[in-house]
Amino acid sequence: MAMASLFNHMSKSLPHKHSSAKLSRSIQHLVSAYINSNPLNPSFQARYMTTAMTKVAGFDEMVSSKQRKFYLLGGKGGVGKTSCAASLAVKLANRGHPTIVVSTDPAHSLSDSFDQNLTGGMLVPVQGVDSSLYAIELNPEKAREELSSKGQHDEGAVRNVMDSMGLGGFAGMMGDLKLDELLETSPPGLDEIVAISKVMQFLDSPEYSKFRHIVFDTAPTGHTLRLLSLPDFLDASIGKMMKIKKKIASATAALKSAFGKGEPQQDDNDKLEQLRLSMGRVRDLFRDPETTEFVIVTIPTVMAVNESSRLCASLRKEMVPVNRLVINQLLPPSASDCKFCSMRRKDQRRALDKIEKDPELAKLKLIESPLVDVEIRGVPALKFMGDMVWK
């Protein structure tokens, strides 16, 4: 029975008082029940399985490690990263592994994928799974407000210090710069900085220690590469900042001595050193094959495959472990003479041939995810997808 016909049949059996949103959710639950109760239905499998589904994700291997594991899913925009990440998180949780799924994409869609409000930048429990599953959409806007607030506080602190040294005029000049207004616009890379700070929380906070797996739904390729290279950049930058602060501390000590203002306060280079060490931990985490794996998600088009190849090369340059490639939205076989479908399959075949010959992608374990004629939304639909993809 085709999925659309199945929906049609089941919707007729539901009360007409259902709203369209409630009807959609009800149908999703019924579809999940239908799939679970008919796991070997041959007509269903023929419609939704591709011809080469012998390549599997190695899910048992993915959950075999006793260490906490980070999975980062990324690729070109619009290839279905969020659905793949959410379905993996549901699969992990249903296997009995407490899991967090994190969106680092500025255009968050986890809420849509789970059909649940996950906004606010806080962990939210996901309903309808067998084990502990929490989701979070990181909120760069909230981080910007905190940064702006801190900037205003720091500006006031600078004014007080300079006033105490008899240099209030300089404080007035700095006030004219309106540093807080400069922070009104989010600086480039703020999304990645927020994601890195959250990773540090996952590493250090006892409240996260119970979670076995953390799945990241990353932003499109450019953002993701910035995220992965950021620890190196910040590590180098912090080293330079420490040198500058030492020079400033020396000059401040001389000024205070000249104006008879007593001993200088101890500088906070130790805090910068702690931050530098934390960045090193995050960098090592991203590069450790025992704790981290990057999964590339693509679709079977030549343009998407080309970008995936470049992403794979960049990941290897950053020494990030990458072992799997999900090929999403593959057309299922059909006995019809649909010309559109026939042309699309030829295009997809060309893309698959390109993957097999690509020096970067051919080394990866290929995971085929078929195109289905329903929206993957809500936990039942994500479970359905996870059971197809993460085998």
Side-chain angles (χ1 to χ4, degrees), residues 214-268:
I214 300 176
V215 179
F216 286 87
D217 168 31
T218 70
T221 306
H223 283 268
T224 300
L225 291 176
R226 282 205 303 268
L227 168 66
L228 296 173
S229 62
L230 191 60
D232 275 333
F233 172 76
L234 291 179
D235 189 15
S237 301
I238 290 167
K240 294 176 183 177
M241 289 169 61
M242 291 173 68
K243 292 178 182 178
I244 293 171
K245 281 187 69 66
K246 284 180 181 178
K247 293 180 180 179
I248 292 174
S250 237
T252 302
L255 280 170
K256 285 189 174 183
S257 176
F259 285 92
K261 295 296 180 181
E263 294 295 323
Q265 293 182 348
Q266 185 178 8
D267 66 63
D268 57 354

Side-chain angles (χ1 to χ4, degrees), residues 225 296 306-320 322 358-361 363-364:
L225 291 176
I296 299 176
N306 287 339
E307 182 163 329
S308 297
S309 178
R310 292 192 294 269
L311 172 58
C312 189
S314 297
L315 290 170
R316 290 202 168 107
K317 184 178 179 181
E318 293 288 342
M319 294 181 285
V320 176
V322 52
D358 187 275
E360 297 292 341
L361 302 179
K363 302 172 186 176
L364 303 180

Side-chain angles (χ1 to χ4, degrees), residues 155 158-160 162-163 167-176:
E155 184 182 336
V158 168
R159 183 184 294 273
N160 291 338
M162 298 186 79
D163 278 341
L167 301 175
F170 286 102
M173 291 171 62
M174 291 188 70
D176 290 340

Side-chain angles (χ1 to χ4, degrees), residues 236-300:
S237 301
I238 290 167
K240 294 176 183 177
M241 289 169 61
M242 291 173 68
K243 292 178 182 178
I244 293 171
K245 281 187 69 66
K246 284 180 181 178
K247 293 180 180 179
I248 292 174
S250 237
T252 302
L255 280 170
K256 285 189 174 183
S257 176
F259 285 92
K261 295 296 180 181
E263 294 295 323
Q265 293 182 348
Q266 185 178 8
D267 66 63
D268 57 354
N269 266 6
D270 55 337
K271 293 180 181 178
L272 283 174
E273 175 63 14
Q274 290 174 13
L275 181 58
R276 190 183 69 80
L277 292 174
S278 295
M279 286 297 103
R281 288 177 63 203
V282 173
R283 177 190 59 216
D284 294 342
L285 172 75
F286 283 159
R287 294 174 177 173
D288 185 355
E290 296 298 320
T291 57
T292 300
E293 180 182 339
F294 196 102
V295 179
I296 299 176
V297 182
T298 191
I299 55 175

Side-chain angles (χ1 to χ4, degrees), residues 22-327:
K22 288 182 179 178
L23 180 61
S24 176
R25 286 193 291 271
S26 299
I27 290 176
Q28 286 175 1
H29 285 282
L30 286 170
V31 168
S32 180
Y34 173 82
I35 293 165
N36 291 334
S37 63
N38 295 272
L40 300 178
N41 184 310
S43 63
F44 182 85
Q45 289 191 349
R47 182 170 173 77
Y48 291 99
M49 294 296 186
T50 63
T51 55
M53 289 299 288
T54 53
K55 299 174 182 177
V56 297
F59 183 76
D60 289 339
E61 173 200 340
M62 295 172 75
V63 297
S64 62
S65 173
K66 294 182 180 179
Q67 297 189 63
R68 181 166 54 166
K69 190 98 178 198
F70 291 73
Y71 289 102
L72 294 88
L73 280 78
K76 180 179 170 64
V79 297
K81 297 185 299 295
T82 300
S83 295
C84 289
S87 67
L88 175 59
V90 169
K91 180 91 172 185
L92 290 167
N94 282 337
R95 184 62 71 92
H97 297 261
T99 300
I100 301 174
V101 56
V102 185
S103 171
T104 66
D105 190 341
H108 295 302
S109 52
L110 265 187
S111 291
D112 292 329
S113 193
F114 281 104
D115 196 18
Q116 185 177 340
N117 185 4
L118 306 173
T119 58
M122 303 294 289
L123 285 179
V124 179
V126 174
Q127 307 299 322
V129 291
D130 297 338
S131 186
S132 181
L133 175 60
Y134 283 75
I136 179 172
E137 290 184 338
L138 298 184
N139 191 343
E141 198 63 25
K142 184 177 179 182
R144 183 199 59 75
E145 291 171 3
E146 292 174 357
L147 184 63
S148 178
S149 174
K150 187 178 186 303
Q152 293 175 15
H153 171 76
D154 289 348
E155 184 182 336
V158 168
R159 183 184 294 273
N160 291 338
V161 170
M162 298 186 79
D163 278 341
S164 72
M165 298 191 312
L167 301 175
F170 286 102
M173 291 171 62
M174 291 188 70
D176 290 340
L177 291 176
K178 299 181 179 179
L179 298 179
D180 57 314
E181 291 185 9
L182 293 178
L183 291 166
E184 286 299 316
T185 302
S186 298
L190 180 61
D191 299 316
E192 289 75 32
I193 291 171
V194 172
I196 288 291
S197 67
K198 182 55 67 175
V199 172
M200 291 168 63
Q201 280 186 266
F202 292 146
L203 291 175
D204 296 330
S205 175
E207 69 177 301
Y208 299 124
S209 61
K210 67 177 181 179
F211 293 100
R212 285 282 304 279
H213 302 284
I214 300 176
V215 179
F216 286 87
D217 168 31
T218 70
T221 306
H223 283 268
T224 300
L225 291 176
R226 282 205 303 268
L227 168 66
L228 296 173
S229 62
L230 191 60
D232 275 333
F233 172 76
L234 291 179
D235 189 15
S237 301
I238 290 167
K240 294 176 183 177
M241 289 169 61
M242 291 173 68
K243 292 178 182 178
I244 293 171
K245 281 187 69 66
K246 284 180 181 178
K247 293 180 180 179
I248 292 174
S250 237
T252 302
L255 280 170
K256 285 189 174 183
S257 176
F259 285 92
K261 295 296 180 181
E263 294 295 323
Q265 293 182 348
Q266 185 178 8
D267 66 63
D268 57 354
N269 266 6
D270 55 337
K271 293 180 181 178
L272 283 174
E273 175 63 14
Q274 290 174 13
L275 181 58
R276 190 183 69 80
L277 292 174
S278 295
M279 286 297 103
R281 288 177 63 203
V282 173
R283 177 190 59 216
D284 294 342
L285 172 75
F286 283 159
R287 294 174 177 173
D288 185 355
E290 296 298 320
T291 57
T292 300
E293 180 182 339
F294 196 102
V295 179
I296 299 176
V297 182
T298 191
I299 55 175
T301 67
V302 171
M303 286 194 297
V305 169
N306 287 339
E307 182 163 329
S308 297
S309 178
R310 292 192 294 269
L311 172 58
C312 189
S314 297
L315 290 170
R316 290 202 168 107
K317 184 178 179 181
E318 293 288 342
M319 294 181 285
V320 176
V322 52
N323 302 319
R324 292 171 172 84
L325 173 69
V326 177
I327 309 168

